[in-house]
Amino acid sequence: MMVFTLAAQGQGNTTPLRIIMIGAHPDDCDIDGGGTAILMASMGHAVKFVSVTNGDAGHQSQGGGALAKRRMAEAKEAGKRFGVTYDVLDNHDGELMPSLDVRLQVIRKIREWKADVVIAPRPNDYHPDHRYTGVLVQDAAYMVTVPNVAPDVAPLVKNPVFLYFQDGFQRPNPFRPDIVVDITPVIDKKIHAMAAHESQFFEWLPWIGGYAGEVPKDKSLWEPWLKKKMEREITEDLKKTLDKWYGSGRSASARFVEAFEVCEYGKQPSADDMRNIFPMVGK
Amino acid sequence: MMVFTLAAQGQGNTTPLRIIMIGAHPDDCDIDGGGTAILMASMGHAVKFVSVTNGDAGHQSQGGGALAKRRMAEAKEAGKRFGVTYDVLDNHDGELMPSLDVRLQVIRKIREWKADVVIAPRPNDYHPDHRYTGVLVQDAAYMVTVPNVAPDVAPLVKNPVFLYFQDGFQRPNPFRPDIVVDITPVIDKKIHAMAAHESQFFEWLPWIGGYAGEVPKDKSLWEPWLKKKMEREITEDLKKTLDKWYGSGRSASARFVEAFEVCEYGKQPSADDMRNIFPMVGK
Amino acid sequence: MMVFTLAAQGQGNTTPLRIIMIGAHPDDCDIDGGGTAILMASMGHAVKFVSVTNGDAGHQSQGGGALAKRRMAEAKEAGKRFGVTYDVLDNHDGELMPSLDVRLQVIRKIREWKADVVIAPRPNDYHPDHRYTGVLVQDAAYMVTVPNVAPDVAPLVKNPVFLYFQDGFQRPNPFRPDIVVDITPVIDKKIHAMAAHESQFFEWLPWIGGYAGEVPKDKSLWEPWLKKKMEREITEDLKKTLDKWYGSGRSASARFVEAFEVCEYGKQPSADDMRNIFPMVGK
Amino acid sequence: MMVFTLAAQGQGNTTPLRIIMIGAHPDDCDIDGGGTAILMASMGHAVKFVSVTNGDAGHQSQGGGALAKRRMAEAKEAGKRFGVTYDVLDNHDGELMPSLDVRLQVIRKIREWKADVVIAPRPNDYHPDHRYTGVLVQDAAYMVTVPNVAPDVAPLVKNPVFLYFQDGFQRPNPFRPDIVVDITPVIDKKIHAMAAHESQFFEWLPWIGGYAGEVPKDKSLWEPWLKKKMEREITEDLKKTLDKWYGSGRSASARFVEAFEVCEYGKQPSADDMRNIFPMVGK
Amino acid sequence: MMVFTLAAQGQGNTTPLRIIMIGAHPDDCDIDGGGTAILMASMGHAVKFVSVTNGDAGHQSQGGGALAKRRMAEAKEAGKRFGVTYDVLDNHDGELMPSLDVRLQVIRKIREWKADVVIAPRPNDYHPDHRYTGVLVQDAAYMVTVPNVAPDVAPLVKNPVFLYFQDGFQRPNPFRPDIVVDITPVIDKKIHAMAAHESQFFEWLPWIGGYAGEVPKDKSLWEPWLKKKMEREITEDLKKTLDKWYGSGRSASARFVEAFEVCEYGKQPSADDMRNIFPMVGK
Amino acid sequence: MMVFTLAAQGQGNTTPLRIIMIGAHPDDCDIDGGGTAILMASMGHAVKFVSVTNGDAGHQSQGGGALAKRRMAEAKEAGKRFGVTYDVLDNHDGELMPSLDVRLQVIRKIREWKADVVIAPRPNDYHPDHRYTGVLVQDAAYMVTVPNVAPDVAPLVKNPVFLYFQDGFQRPNPFRPDIVVDITPVIDKKIHAMAAHESQFFEWLPWIGGYAGEVPKDKSLWEPWLKKKMEREITEDLKKTLDKWYGSGRSASARFVEAFEVCEYGKQPSADDMRNIFPMVGK
């Protein structure tokens, strides 16, 4: 096949768009794209979260299908709070492989959502499930348009824009913030939605992170505590991009942000496309 | 786990029941259980056909997703004529393996249908896809009740009755007709429904069978021709079982029958259970 | 390779022997061979139980690694009570496949135990894990003697005797009781040892079997209740074999038995070999 | 697909035919069908032997690719002596699995040879490689005629006759000698051809069989010794079949025989077909 | 193993050399290396194209084995026009995985061609089949020299030079044009050869690229249209490399070029080696 | 899961530490980390070498299990000379894939050793086994701390520090020497230990490297010859890092060094952590 086929694709999408975020575990999309999802949904985009694994391993004292069912219920509740639909695929947590079988699951999710935009982790990250989610979504790019692949679901007419969630890893190359979203206005809503994953944010992550003792006994303090925990210094790099898209000055007030990089394997969006995808940055 | 757990299961199903027939290709359930399905559906049971492969290989001049889509459309039409729903799973025809992945697909189909009865081929037959469909369904038996398996779909409360379709193979042991259904009253409807699979009964099967020249040019003659083609001598063995269930004399008038064997891996049905499952034999 | 190589193998084992029983789940060897193991161990044989899966799925409310760890602890305690060592391999419950990887695990277990006798399920049974355990052990037979296979563990000098546990399945052929062991004298010890698997006999099996309500609230009544639950009518076939080995009359007093079939893929034992393996039947 | 497609196939093959024997190891076809192959080849049939594994494991002190190359050279020499071509597929010995990949290798070999007859082991035998060779060849039956499978090699116009080599295993059902060939006239030629596999018959098999001490030091005595080793009592069952095909009395003089069973998954040959396939039995 | 073993390899190849280009689909080598292949072949090198998949998915209305056969015929015709042999491996299009099985297919192709030079895509590109072709060829590098791997085909005495085809992807690192070939003199011949893939350049690629309407109705206009479509601006980077190898000034006249990067996993060629491989650049 | 969990991990390890080096073949750890291992072991650290493959392919005339056993014996002897334990996993050489099965083997090795530090190749190198060893160890990072993964072995309380061995490959990014160890004082001991792998350093590597003729006939000259062979120019980059850790001037006297890069997927060590891990550099 020829490289120029991609360049030849023009995509005239207008708002509202259909966005799908794909993470490895039930809570990944929430952390990396939850604020953006709230903003997008509130501005008219249809947003779906997908967890490629069922989360049946990441816990200190529970596991298996029993844990998976708890995680699915948490995801459902989180979706409600975010204003998105939330699907959990039934693949074992901690055992995700970039197999053809799971790639086809991903292709079907993207097609069924008629996605204009797909957001997923880069294929480098500290957790193998994250990395292989990145590989799987890359391997679904372009193939979502090929009719003979997964013929039981209609192919997309156009290859979506594929974006990467932000991460801090430098090798083999660092994340490049092509766009940064100021989620400060919705940070409390994001934290509230994230908090639906009780088994994650108040049980497993504190335990594996060695800070279980910090979790407040009083449940009413959980969300403020989690918000505190989510604070990150905003790097100069991110500030610059923020100002580029929002207009200078925005970085002065932003306290919480989410950033995204354009993946080379999907449609290459113009600046206008990006503003359609991220209407919160304004025209 | 203990064998006595199965003996301890009693299943108080009453009519109407939920029946799922599972074949390898889009046309297999039709041939082996189509008449029974018509009768069951007309008497109140809810019946679903599933093809485990998408039929994308069995043709002399077409293939791939393009063929699969044609086969899915044919199956949909056939289902309408049979009075059943017809699902086609997207696994390559001619390449079916008894993998865990496909087993889970089968488990989900059985659970989602809340099946009381599952009917599938025996694991011995001339076509590897047929054999492995038999293996896959056997491997789904019992597991459909285990909550930790495929936790995204609620487990069945009781292990269904599993039945085998009839076949003529003798090794390692022959088919045993535990029940025989007289489908003579609905044979024309069965043939009409089967005929929806045009690519199978009037293209591929005649070609591979070496009798393509016999297919009438005039489409209006297809169904009578196919009916003729489906005629089989009814063996003494089948006649005896027919008379056992219907009352003696039935075998004298029956011209078309379908037979089934009880599989050891599901619920072991009593005679009353069998009469509930097959209400056409009468009480 | 040639068939006559097997016939040419003579194995001059004398008591005490090394026995390995291999089941699918942590409780399978116990149910099918536990009484025999107690008798063998008390008469000097060294006996090991192996569970090929870690039991991480068969429970109504727990699962995953957390359940597996509970099952391993139960197996360890059961082994102590039986007088055997008990190993649990870390393969997912409910997902066992007859892969090369697991076959090699089984080969290593048999070799490391320097087994003279291997006992496992037949490859037909209601649970796919049971069937595939049967396949895996069959696939390990003979290969345990081939030095180039699993070269990190010394091969056995002689192919062991392979036996099947009893089951009630008739297709494709029924179990044949080549020897029957009267375990009546040790039935209470067997029940006590089995009872170490609390999560199985008093939680999961009653739940899946639909008799959870029968389990006594009072833990001190558990063992008598389980013993009652284990009662089976002893068929004529088994009685005849019992009398053949023990001398006539034994069947009159036996209340609990375990039976075994010789597998064709291992050493074919003479009657004397069988008496060495099963010293409780006497000379 | 429909069962009647097979019944509808008529195959008007005339002598000479094209025969392919498929074994697991380089020496399996030789042992089980070598005499028949010599007779067939001398009477005009084109015969090929295929070993599905490369024999790289079955040796006490050599292994890997180095051993495989020795085995390929031995097979080549054996083929020359038998009057057949001998192919060795490069799959690991002792690790054969019934995968799609190897099934396609087998399909291609059968097609490229334009085989009228395929002979392979039954799927039950003491060696897992033998069993899975049986499964693989069964899984190739019928599929050899499907054009969309392995489209790089032209499909066969007709499903060949599939036969099983003889074995002594009883479960799940015993071998049935549908035809028996008297190879007494060519037994010395068969032994001479087999003897080309030096690494098998004079090194590995005696070692693993525990009779390495019996192998003559003097190489000139190897063939007589091997012939002695190959002697088997001819059972009544085989004698009866021998007389059936050759005319009564043949069993009185036969000293060495080879027997075959017709597999249900290929063309079902008539008695005349069988006499065409086995011209040595006469008309 | 030690890194210095590679450095120690010196390869004294002289013209003519044996070149193998390996692409994912039947048309990939043509697009990325077709002009170079024409020049190489005309100057005495022996050139082979290999497509790792059979192209059975990339089409809007055809598929499967039927499409694969059309693609193989097109490839054969294209090979004739290019002056190269063209092999198509029978692996499903759109489903290529970097499995051991396919790696061994690639190893055998490289060895059988006794390749001095292997050219393949980088493991980053928009199509997963392209990426995994890159991985598979990388995984074949060095292993082509190891005698115990694929022992049925003689190993290469020396690790070939491995080159990458040009692509435009930047992550994780951009393509580096180590050499650029001016194919302007043979561009019409390249276009004519490419045009043999009718199902690709005039059906599938325009359809998936959204420019099906541009394809001329008049077949005689296809080649000029395709040539137009293949026009690319030659970047400064490529021009610089062109001048470096050809002598300054070449970039002024070149209209069509192909570029290649040296892969680190094969022999590291000297400038003289490169001039032997690419004799069209002159000495 | 959340990125900040890693940052939150503080590891208060004090000397002595537990180090595990993981290579693809029996000799890889030796070459890349042998000198460091000698120094570490002599200063109190507990060091283990693991070879993920059994080395059964890398030889010009031997192979299979027979070769694997020779390699295991050589590794054992080498371990003794290095002052480390040396484990060889039984996976085929030249066929290593980044499968879940092997990942779990690696996880268990790291856990059983209660490793504070894990050292492995980068996922880019000329040999696929090296690359996939890098992938496997990366995929084990973090998962070694998750209790539900491989529940049969206790998880590590803290994610170890993961380091990469040095290599010379530039794509997609070059090795970065985060620390360099001067092994000049122990180079003779390293060479002596390496020399235990006779089948590697004096047979296979010279053969495949094309310098078999250089190997001295006189075994007593092997070690000096090998030392000569191991000489490498120390780049400026390495010298700078050497001086950074040891104090300036060290690079003037160092003749043999080993270098390591910190992997992003494990604990990120402070400079003090690094001095604890590498006590030979001093405080």
Side-chain angles (χ1 to χ4, degrees), chain C residues 52-81:
Chain C
V52 179
T53 78
N54 63 14
D56 67 355
H59 200 276
Q60 64 271 44
S61 60
Q62 301 174 17
L67 177 59
K69 272 182 287 191
R70 187 177 174 206
R71 293 254 151 101
M72 288 174 200
E74 291 175 347
K76 203 167 173 174
E77 173 60 25
K80 217 179 297 175
R81 297 182 190 179

Side-chain angles (χ1 to χ4, degrees), chain B residues 154-170:
Chain B
L156 296 183
V157 176
K158 294 172 181 174
N159 201 13
V161 172
F162 284 77
L163 303 171
Y164 293 121
F165 290 123
Q166 184 187 6
D167 65 79
F169 296 89
Q170 304 297 312

Side-chain angles (χ1 to χ4, degrees), chain F residues 109-127:
Chain F
K109 279 291 160 194
I110 295 172
R111 287 182 176 177
E112 287 165 357
W113 193 247
K114 297 183 201 311
D116 297 293
V117 180
V118 182
I119 313 181
R122 294 199 307 155
N124 44 310
D125 193 314
Y126 75 99
H127 194 305

Side-chain angles (χ1 to χ4, degrees), chain E residues 131-276:
Chain E
R131 292 197 289 277
Y132 291 127
T133 297
V135 171
L136 285 161
V137 174
Q138 285 187 358
D139 289 355
Y142 182 75
M143 305 314 290
V144 292
T145 67
V146 178
N148 272 324
V149 170
D152 53 335
V153 183
L156 296 183
V157 175
K158 293 173 183 175
N159 203 12
V161 172
F162 284 78
L163 302 172
Y164 294 121
F165 289 123
Q166 186 187 2
D167 65 78
F169 297 90
Q170 302 297 312
R171 302 244 141 178
N173 62 293
F175 174 84
R176 181 191 64 215
D178 288 323
I179 193 163
V180 179
V181 176
D182 180 0
I183 62 160
T184 316
V186 294
I187 185 62
D188 290 328
K189 190 167 181 189
K190 173 176 175 176
I191 295 296
H192 176 58
M194 283 169 65
H197 301 277
E198 293 196 0
S199 69
Q200 301 269 19
F201 292 109
F202 310 111
E203 299 178 13
W204 166 241
L205 291 169
W207 184 89
I208 191 74
Y211 56 90
E214 295 179 21
V215 182
K217 301 288 168 254
D218 180 353
K219 260 190 153 181
S220 72
L221 302 175
W222 277 7
E223 293 187 20
W225 171 83
L226 181 59
K227 183 178 175 184
K228 188 93 195 143
K229 205 77 198 163
M230 291 293 291
E231 279 175 12
R232 296 281 179 292
E233 182 124 10
I234 302 174
T235 62
E236 286 310 308
D237 202 26
L238 294 173
K239 284 182 179 168
K240 225 177 80 187
T241 309
L242 200 60
D243 289 344
K244 177 186 144 194
W245 286 98
Y246 280 87
S248 69
R250 184 68 175 219
S251 63
S253 63
R255 289 295 165 264
F256 293 88
V257 299
E258 290 168 355
F260 305 92
E261 175 180 337
V262 176
C263 165
E264 297 182 288
Y265 301 157
K267 184 196 170 189
Q268 297 304 290
S270 66
D272 281 354
D273 289 335
M274 288 294 267
R275 289 187 188 277
N276 279 338

Side-chain angles (χ1 to χ4, degrees), chain F residues 30-31 34-36 38-39 82 182-195 223-224 226-232 255-258:
Chain F
D30 316 50
I31 298 168
T36 302
I38 292 168
L39 289 166
F82 276 116
D182 180 1
I183 62 160
T184 316
V186 294
I187 185 62
D188 290 328
K189 190 166 181 190
K190 174 176 174 175
I191 295 294
H192 176 59
M194 283 170 65
E223 294 187 19
L226 181 59
K227 183 177 174 184
K228 189 91 195 146
K229 205 80 196 162
M230 291 293 290
E231 279 175 12
R232 297 280 179 290
R255 290 293 165 267
F256 293 88
V257 299
E258 289 168 354

Side-chain angles (χ1 to χ4, degrees), chain A residues 208-230:
Chain A
I208 191 74
Y211 57 91
E214 295 178 22
V215 182
K217 300 288 168 257
D218 180 353
K219 260 190 154 184
S220 71
L221 302 176
W222 277 6
E223 293 188 19
W225 172 83
L226 182 59
K227 183 177 175 185
K228 188 93 196 142
K229 205 77 197 164
M230 290 293 290

Side-chain angles (χ1 to χ4, degrees), chain A residues 32-48:
Chain A
D32 294 332
T36 302
I38 291 168
L39 291 166
M40 283 176 161
S42 73
M43 299 179 83
H45 288 352
V47 185
K48 180 190 275 297

Side-chain angles (χ1 to χ4, degrees), chain A residues 149-160:
Chain A
V149 169
D152 54 336
V153 183
L156 296 183
V157 176
K158 293 173 182 174
N159 202 13

